[in-house]
Amino acid sequence: MSIDERPDTQRLVHGACHHDCPDSCGWTVTVDGSGPRPTAVKLRGNPDHPFSQGELCPKVNRFLDRVHSADRILHPLRRTGPKGSNEYEQISWDDALDEIATRLHDVIDTHGGEALLPYSDAGNQSLLSMFGSGSRFFHHLGATRLIRAICGVTVGAGLSVTNGSGASLEATEMVHSRLIVLWGTNTRLTNRHLWPTIEEARSNGARIVVIDPIRTLTAEAVDAARGDRFVQPLPGTDIAMMLAMMHVIIREGLADDEWIAQHTVGFDELRVAVADWTPARAAEVCGVDADVIESLARDIATTRPTAIRTLIGAEHHENGAMFFRTLACLPALTGAWRDRGGGLSRSVGHWTESQIDLAALTRPDLMPTDDGHLPRSVNMSRLGEVLTDLEPPIHAMVVWNCNPLVTTPNAELIRRGLERDDLFTVVHEQFLTDTARYADIVLPATTQIEADDVVFPWGHLWVSYNEAAIEPMGEACSNTELFRRLSTAMDLDEPSLFDDDEVLMRAALPTIDLAELRRERWLRAPYPEDGRPYGDPAGATPFSTASGRVEFASAGLESIGQPRVPTFVAPSEGVGAAGDIRQRLPFQLLTPKHHTRFLNSGYAQLPKHGPAEGGPFVEVCPADAADIGVADGDLACVANDRATVEVVVRVSERLRPGVVAIPFGWWGDDHRDGHVANSITNDTLTEWGGGVAFSDTLVAITPAPVSTGV
Ligand SMILES: Nc1nc2c(c(=O)[nH]1)N[C@H]1C(S)=C(S)[C@@H](COP(=O)(O)OP(=O)(O)OC[C@H]3O[C@@H](n4cnc5c(=O)[nH]c(N)nc54)[C@H](O)[C@@H]3O)O[C@H]1N2
Ligand SMILES: Nc1nc2c(c(=O)[nH]1)N[C@H]1C(S)=C(S)[C@@H](COP(=O)(O)OP(=O)(O)OC[C@H]3O[C@@H](n4cnc5c(=O)[nH]c(N)nc54)[C@H](O)[C@@H]3O)O[C@H]1N2
Ligand code: SF4
Ligand SMILES: [Mo]
């Protein structure tokens, strides 16, 4: 039967995937109305969707398993056992809301609004689900503010220093490129619907370069016979390689002098900064041969158009912001922005989100400003420290749209915080995640097919309407409805807390005709017609830095205590480790996205997802495995001062000596000792931009003690 042929009792509803994934695929849900209540019976990729063209992915192909899972939370729950115990009783919404309202009022009356912490991220990255009434609610209560910068914000902060904003090349424009450099992004895994564009460019003669410390699924597509290459630097060292590439480009007269004169400032300072960065010097830092660095530099300077494609992988280092600030200098130096299909491509949020009036949606003006002071802010990546060491302390936390015990670094410190008796925790979730098991009250959340929303992609330009296909399952409610209910229960009198979803959408999208969006299902965000983000033919520079030009040297950066020009600073829990740390903890640990059936921590628990991926492991190269004294399949302890994780060893040629990897996303239940990859990761923040250095984590690895079975 084709997609449009179905029995009279069934109808087709159009929606879009809500996951924090660049692809934001369009889908259709077949709803059967023959039973007592309409049921979703099929969910498929929408073949008409301009970007995803009918395909979904191994995570979401089985999305209805998630919707209908027997483990789904469908009613409010009150914890009956100790925190973390997974013992709950079902209670009514009224009882849950009464208890939460009483506890939150108590905390506010005793300790003030700042003792409350909202904790959320992009579990559902649709507009209302992510930014809807929750922001208004916590602003109104004067709660501590959360800096949500675990993903992507640092990329933007780095690029903005050089270019003034994060505006970049729309990725499907790479069909015009002749050289595509996939730098710190695992496209075939994390951005799979972009791959057809890359293949099309290749069939037009484009070559690809993959730069990654891991020989990833994407690196496997490299075909040396076609002139592609795979470059494998040590983690956290790419800036040294970029400096040497710029050294070569300038030394060999390959810089685009005309473009530089018209559109940049600080070239002379840059020339001085890279003068000592010979390829031989960079080679020692990043472990890539000098001649590879030289030829890569020549290649990107002489191939037109050249596109560099990146997402967020490289921001997770202490020097993560400088990585992107420096990367953005390359296309300016070579004049790559001149060409259609040239330049730097990453999130297109600059273009899609230009249509959102975020302040109208989140209402920061509702915040109390005592003596002109706004409530304090804390960084989400430091949740462990926030819950255990902040003065005055947090006494109540509401978590929704994320699972920090699995996804946030230094997770054992978070666990210690969540165990506090004087912390009241509410979690709004679809499943009893590791985090939800520490909640006093768990509330049931809807899935994407149970609520209307608008999806603003960061990987392509098609903004989609997501129409609810079915009523909320059980007693689940959406993220916006949750905060309306809490506002009622707490007797709050700010009228905007009670705005319904339609009013919220209209406030957030003043220039979008919602009726048209619903009718057309998606609309294309404005993007320069000639395909070139900085191609302004009139010659007026469109860069929004203080100078209005690309800034090779930045006074703004200097004013926050950072170097004016691109500079390599070695991560202190990485290649720059001082003293005896390297002897104690000889391996650098990466914890990447790895599984095709996982989206962060969201699918490990489902029977057709987790088991099919086979369980967590640590990948070690053959030489390191021999040194440690472990063989494939052995159990090993991966440890540092933060914690120890027990995982099975997988001996693999994908890593170079000294670098190991544990895929992230598995839950405590999947590990013998209950610890997860993030139990040991580093929560040091990036030098600016608010990101976090997950990937600057040093560990020791030893064979696990044999269980005595006692
Ligand atoms: N299947 C699947 N798809 C996903 C996700 C998922 O969990 N599963 N998650 C989604 C989310 S939230 C996001 S943000 C995107 C992220 O998409 P990506 O940014 O493409 O993915 P990451 O795995 O975070 O990082 C990409 C690569 O960066 C590399 N890397 C780490 N450090 C360095 C470095 O110092 N230099 C270089 N050159 N590379 C480095 C890692 O080895 C990794 O292969 O993916 C999304 N898509
Ligand atoms: N070690 C390591 N850690 C990482 C990364 C890494 O590469 N390595 N990547 C980081 C990145 S890029 C990201 S984006 C973060 C992601 O970290 P999280 O935001 O914690 O992401 P998820 O694991 O996807 O968890 C989302 C949760 O939200 C729930 N959820 C989904 N939809 C809704 C909804 O509509 N309402 C409510 N209330 N809940 C909902 C899901 O059930 C799921 O449990 O992880 C980061 N952590
Ligand atoms: S997770 Fe990503 S690839 Fe999979 S359906 Fe959603 S948007 Fe598409
Ligand atoms: Mo992310």
Side-chain angles (χ1 to χ4, degrees):
M1 200 168 3
S2 90
I3 192 158
D4 289 323
E5 289 171 47
R6 41 186 187 274
D8 289 347
T9 55
Q10 296 187 351
R11 67 190 185 96
L12 212 54
V13 179
H14 294 82
C17 182
H18 59 294
H19 279 308
D20 187 359
C21 166
D23 294 1
S24 299
C25 299
W27 69 35
T28 55
V29 187
T30 309
V31 178
D32 188 292
S34 58
R37 64 178 273 164
T39 316
V41 292
K42 200 189 284 178
L43 184 148
R44 292 283 182 273
N46 185 341
D48 298 330
H49 190 271
F51 186 69
S52 55
Q53 300 187 355
E55 197 210 32
L56 295 174
C57 68
K59 313 160 269 255
V60 172
N61 282 337
R62 294 181 175 279
F63 193 68
L64 293 185
D65 288 4
R66 184 179 187 93
V67 174
H68 297 133
S69 167
D71 292 335
R72 193 143 158 221
I73 304 167
L74 294 175
H75 306 279
L77 303 172
R78 180 193 285 126
R79 188 170 45 74
T80 51
K83 294 195 176 195
S85 66
N86 208 7
E87 291 164 31
Y88 284 90
E89 63 180 358
Q90 185 178 325
I91 58 174
S92 69
W93 262 102
D94 283 346
D95 286 352
L97 289 168
D98 277 353
E99 187 165 334
I100 297 169
T102 306
R103 295 293 296 265
L104 295 191
H105 273 308
D106 278 355
V107 167
I108 295 169
D109 293 347
T110 317
H111 305 283
E114 284 187 337
L116 298 183
L117 180 69
Y119 197 93
S120 70
D121 202 29
N124 182 332
Q125 69 164 0
S126 314
L127 183 66
L128 297 191
S129 296
M130 205 165 156
F131 302 109
S133 38
S135 315
R136 294 182 176 189
F137 176 80
F138 285 105
H139 286 157
H140 176 68
L141 294 177
T144 292
R145 290 178 291 158
L146 188 70
I147 299 168
R148 294 175 172 85
I150 210 165
C151 173
V153 173
T154 304
V155 179
L159 298 180
S160 298
V161 167
T162 306
N163 290 343
S165 76
S168 73
L169 182 69
E170 192 272 307
T172 60
E173 282 289 323
M174 292 196 299
V175 73
H176 302 290
S177 310
R178 299 292 289 187
L179 182 66
I180 297 174
V181 183
L182 301 169
W183 204 323
T185 182
N186 191 358
T187 314
R188 286 174 78 202
L189 180 82
T190 59
N191 188 186
R192 57 186 283 134
H193 295 87
L194 182 60
W195 197 252
T197 297
I198 291 174
E199 284 298 347
E200 194 180 336
R202 292 174 100 187
S203 63
N204 296 335
R207 291 173 295 122
I208 60 168
V209 177
V210 176
I211 307 180
D212 199 301
I214 306 178
R215 186 180 291 274
T216 59
L217 187 66
T218 306
E220 281 167 20
V222 162
D223 180 354
R226 293 171 53 164
D228 300 338
R229 70 172 100 197
F230 170 53
V231 179
Q232 193 170 24
L234 290 167
T237 66
D238 305 56
I239 297 165
M241 187 157 70
M242 294 172 204
L243 296 174
M245 287 167 68
M246 294 195 278
H247 171 102
V248 172
I249 291 167
I250 295 171
R251 187 187 68 198
E252 301 196 353
L254 299 174
D256 187 334
D257 296 332
E258 189 190 43
W259 201 91
I260 291 170
Q262 280 176 357
H263 299 290
T264 73
V265 292
F267 177 68
D268 290 335
E269 282 183 68
L270 180 73
R271 185 208 308 271
V272 172
V274 302
D276 292 341
W277 276 101
T278 60
R281 179 178 170 199
E284 280 191 18
V285 174
C286 55
V288 174
D289 288 348
D291 58 342
V292 171
I293 300 175
E294 298 232 5
S295 71
L296 191 57
R298 283 187 205 113
D299 227 6
I300 70 153
T302 57
T303 314
R304 307 196 79 100
T306 287
I308 297 173
R309 170 69 176 171
T310 187
L311 285 178
I312 60 103
E315 92 170 15
H316 290 148
H317 292 281
E318 288 173 25
N319 57 19
M322 185 60 94
F323 176 104
F324 292 96
R325 184 270 192 278
T326 308
L327 191 67
C329 293
L330 284 168
L333 200 61
T334 61
W337 293 115
R338 279 180 192 276
D339 311 316
R340 182 159 201 179
L344 178 63
S345 172
R346 42 90 59 174
S347 160
V348 288
H350 175 86
W351 311 104
T352 52
E353 289 159 19
S354 64
Q355 303 173 96
I356 304 174
D357 184 345
L358 202 58
L361 182 59
T362 62
R363 296 290 305 274
D365 58 295
L366 295 178
M367 268 187 275
T369 52
D370 295 340
D371 307 327
H373 291 296
L374 292 172
R376 65 184 171 180
S377 301
V378 298
N379 189 300
M380 67 184 311
S381 296
R382 303 296 296 227
L383 181 61
E385 180 190 44
V386 167
L387 293 180
T388 56
D389 203 26
L390 187 69
E391 283 300 334
I394 298 295
H395 285 286
M397 176 164 73
V398 180
V399 181
W400 73 105
N401 240 10
C402 63
N403 182 14
L405 256 187
V406 179
T407 60
T408 306
N410 204 358
E412 294 315 304
L413 191 63
I414 300 175
R415 195 188 308 277
R416 289 201 280 285
L418 290 172
E419 281 167 349
R420 273 174 43 202
D421 285 334
D422 61 342
L423 177 73
F424 176 67
T425 307
V426 177
V427 175
H428 182 232
E429 247 301 348
Q430 297 162 352
F431 290 87
L432 272 174
T433 59
D434 286 13
T435 311
R437 292 174 193 186
Y438 286 82
D440 295 280
I441 303 279
V442 182
L443 297 170
T446 45
T447 68
Q448 183 75 343
I449 68 164
E450 295 158 60
D452 279 31
D453 217 326
V454 182
V455 178
F456 278 80
W458 47 280
H460 60 79
L461 296 171
W462 301 94
V463 174
S464 290
Y465 196 82
N466 178 70
E467 190 187 344
I470 55 170
E471 290 295 308
M473 298 280 294
E475 293 184 285
C477 81
S478 68
N479 296 0
T480 49
E481 177 62 15
L482 167 70
F483 292 102
R484 285 189 289 263
R485 290 185 189 179
L486 286 177
S487 300
T488 306
M490 289 182 75
D491 279 329
L492 303 180
D493 55 10
E494 162 56 40
S496 68
L497 299 180
F498 304 95
D499 283 353
D500 65 23
D501 287 358
E502 185 73 18
V503 173
L504 290 171
M505 272 186 212
R506 287 190 193 284
L509 304 173
T511 58
I512 290 184
D513 179 342
L514 278 178
E516 186 189 342
L517 178 59
R518 286 189 179 110
R519 197 173 56 245
E520 300 295 325
R521 295 175 190 134
W522 44 73
L523 58 83
R524 192 169 190 270
Y527 180 80
E529 264 175 38
D530 72 352
R532 301 180 305 160
Y534 299 113
D536 183 6
T541 47
F543 296 97
S544 49
T545 51
S547 62
R549 288 161 167 249
V550 170
E551 297 199 345
F552 291 132
S554 159
L557 210 45
E558 196 173 30
S559 71
I560 58 165
Q562 296 294 327
R564 285 169 62 83
V565 285
T567 305
F568 172 66
V569 179
S572 61
E573 197 177 322
V575 290
D580 70 341
I581 303 178
R582 230 31 231 244
Q583 277 78 54
R584 272 197 316 119
L585 305 173
F587 300 102
Q588 179 152 3
L589 173 73
L590 299 177
T591 50
K593 289 110 184 148
H594 178 87
H595 300 301
T596 59
R597 294 177 190 79
F598 282 17
L599 196 287
N600 302 326
S601 76
Y603 286 91
Q605 81 281 17
L606 293 178
K608 294 276 171 50
H609 290 76
E613 297 288 3
F617 52 82
V618 57
E619 270 182 290
V620 184
C621 77
D624 287 340
D627 282 353
I628 300 163
V630 287
D632 202 72
D634 287 357
L635 201 59
C637 294
V638 183
N640 57 23
D641 298 338
R642 287 180 281 269
T644 300
V645 185
E646 285 187 21
V647 262
V648 169
V649 173
R650 187 178 282 186
V651 177
S652 147
E653 304 278 356
R654 302 193 328 140
L655 293 156
R656 45 189 305 161
V659 183
V660 299
I662 302 179
F664 113 100
W666 296 95
W667 295 17
D669 283 352
D670 302 311
H671 294 261
R672 194 171 74 162
D673 60 357
H675 291 176
V676 300
N678 273 323
S679 298
I680 49 178
T681 50
N682 185 354
D683 61 355
T684 303
L685 297 184
T686 54
E687 71 284 54
W688 78 90
V692 71
F694 286 109
S695 302
D696 295 332
T697 295
L698 293 178
V699 295
I701 307 184
T702 49
V706 179
S707 165
T708 57
V710 179

